[in-house]
Amino acid sequence: MRHKLAYRKLNRTSEHRKALFKNMLNSLIKYEQITTTLPKAKELKPQIDKVITLGKKNSLASKKNLFAQLQSKSSVDKLVKNLSQRYGKRNGGYSRVIRAGFRYGDDAPMAIIELIDRDFQAKKIDIKKKSQETEKKTPDTKTKVPEKKIQSKK
């Protein structure tokens, strides 16, 4: 019987599981939508809801607790400044889990976990613009290759 066993172990040690969820929380805060397996998404949903609720308090103690849990200053800043204002009037249910079929390799059930009323531009935060890529590919200075003189036989 599974009485009083509150969470899935996901075939990982406790340290691995803590690191996994810390990384997934940071990614979800940064991109506001991630794709993962269904059991991981179901375990992540209560954690992200608790983190957002903690970010809405906007006190020094809550910021310290958030940083202790997330260990990312940018994630804490985004939680306190952006997400806490976005979900100020909402009492809970900041995220949703959507089933997304099965993975090709091992047929694992996949899911998309996303924040409610998410910013669609947050997903493209790391994608470079085409104009920046073309500037990097074409260097400004050209190196001159010395030409060899060919002497003909007489």
Side-chain angles (χ1 to χ4, degrees), residues 91-116:
N91 290 329
Y94 310 112
S95 61
R96 70 167 67 101
V97 175
I98 304 167
R99 292 174 186 253
F102 297 93
R103 188 160 50 198
Y104 176 69
D106 58 353
D107 210 31
M110 298 299 288
I112 296 171
I113 182 166
E114 65 182 9
L115 298 178
I116 304 289

Side-chain angles (χ1 to χ4, degrees), residues 26-43:
N26 283 324
S27 296
L28 186 56
I29 291 167
K30 183 177 182 181
Y31 299 114
E32 299 188 14
Q33 178 188 28
I34 58 173
T35 303
T36 183
T37 60
L38 185 63
K40 288 179 195 172
K42 284 182 176 180
E43 285 298 314

Side-chain angles (χ1 to χ4, degrees), residues 72-130:
S72 171
K73 188 176 185 315
S74 61
S75 294
V76 173
D77 288 341
K78 184 172 180 181
L79 263 172
V80 172
K81 293 176 183 173
N82 298 343
L83 298 181
S84 63
Q85 293 174 358
R86 186 186 307 169
Y87 300 119
K89 296 180 182 177
R90 185 181 282 268
N91 290 329
Y94 310 112
S95 61
R96 70 167 67 101
V97 175
I98 304 167
R99 292 174 186 253
F102 297 93
R103 188 160 50 198
Y104 176 69
D106 58 353
D107 210 31
M110 298 299 288
I112 296 171
I113 182 166
E114 65 182 9
L115 298 178
I116 304 289
D117 302 331
R118 68 185 174 95
D119 179 21
F120 291 100
Q121 298 302 319
K123 192 72 174 165
K124 302 174 184 176
I125 198 166
D126 286 339
I127 298 174
K128 296 179 183 175
K129 295 180 181 176
K130 291 182 180 179

Side-chain angles (χ1 to χ4, degrees), residues 128-142:
K128 296 179 183 175
K129 295 180 181 176
K130 291 182 180 179
S131 62
Q132 292 176 352
E133 290 177 4
T134 55
E135 290 175 5
K136 290 182 180 179
K137 288 182 182 178
T138 57
D140 293 336
T141 59
K142 294 182 180 178

